[in-house]
Amino acid sequence: MLRNRHTDFHLAEQILSFGRKLLFLAASQTARLFNSADLASPFSLSRPTIREYLAVLEQIFLIEQLQLWHNNLLIRLIKTPKMHMSDSDLACALLGVNSGALWQDKTLLGQLLENPYIKNYANRLIGIMKI
């Protein structure tokens, strides 16, 4: 993870320099299995470096990574987490899509609709666990 404030500031500064493109790529990957190589290759960055940038985006609540799970705790069918943009409206704005475009692209529509359901489920689960 991040080591100190200087490192945090340096990473935040670098993210701002190409942030829009990184956020666009993150939005295009929403509700998909996370693959750091897909996000790192357009920037010619290593996978560990792109993971650090994504960690900053998680810390400021722009993206979330959701570990997949199975109802049997001993079995994990897929070990790769899914990445979600925290706000579907932001994802649409970054991708430049409107309702008409979403109606034509059902896959993207499904990905963007998955986000609020995942957040709602997570909030309910956290509420149950606090009881």
Side-chain angles (χ1 to χ4, degrees):
M1 202 67 176
L2 302 176
R3 294 188 182 144
N4 60 41
R5 289 182 186 198
H6 176 71
T7 305
D8 289 352
F9 179 76
H10 181 66
L11 284 174
E13 201 172 68
Q14 286 182 331
I15 286 174
L16 289 175
S17 69
F18 60 88
R20 184 161 178 82
K21 186 173 182 182
L22 179 60
L23 285 172
F24 172 81
L25 291 171
S28 69
Q29 295 291 318
T30 194
R32 290 188 184 174
L33 295 179
F34 173 69
N35 183 349
S36 58
D38 290 345
L39 293 173
S41 62
F43 300 106
S44 300
L45 295 172
S46 67
R47 282 183 258 167
T49 302
I50 203 73
R51 284 189 189 121
E52 287 184 12
Y53 293 143
L54 293 174
V56 172
L57 293 179
E58 279 189 275
Q59 289 175 352
I60 59 175
F61 305 106
L62 288 176
I63 65 168
E64 297 174 275
Q65 288 191 35
L66 176 67
Q67 294 293 329
L68 300 180
W69 54 276
H70 189 273
N71 59 1
N72 181 343
L73 296 178
L74 301 176
I75 298 174
R76 288 203 41 212
L77 299 177
I78 300 174
K79 294 183 180 180
T80 306
K82 274 190 167 185
M83 185 170 62
H84 291 274
M85 287 292 294
S86 296
D87 185 348
S88 295
D89 294 335
L90 175 61
C92 286
L94 289 166
L95 295 172
V97 296
N98 58 22
S99 59
L102 287 175
W103 192 249
Q104 297 299 318
D105 188 350
K106 301 292 193 234
T107 302
L108 181 59
L109 176 62
Q111 290 171 313
L112 292 170
L113 286 177
E114 185 175 321
N115 279 346
Y117 288 104
I118 292 297
K119 290 187 74 73
N120 187 22
Y121 181 75
N123 289 338
R124 287 182 181 200
L125 186 60
I126 289 168
I128 291 170
M129 290 170 55
K130 287 183 179 179
I131 293 177

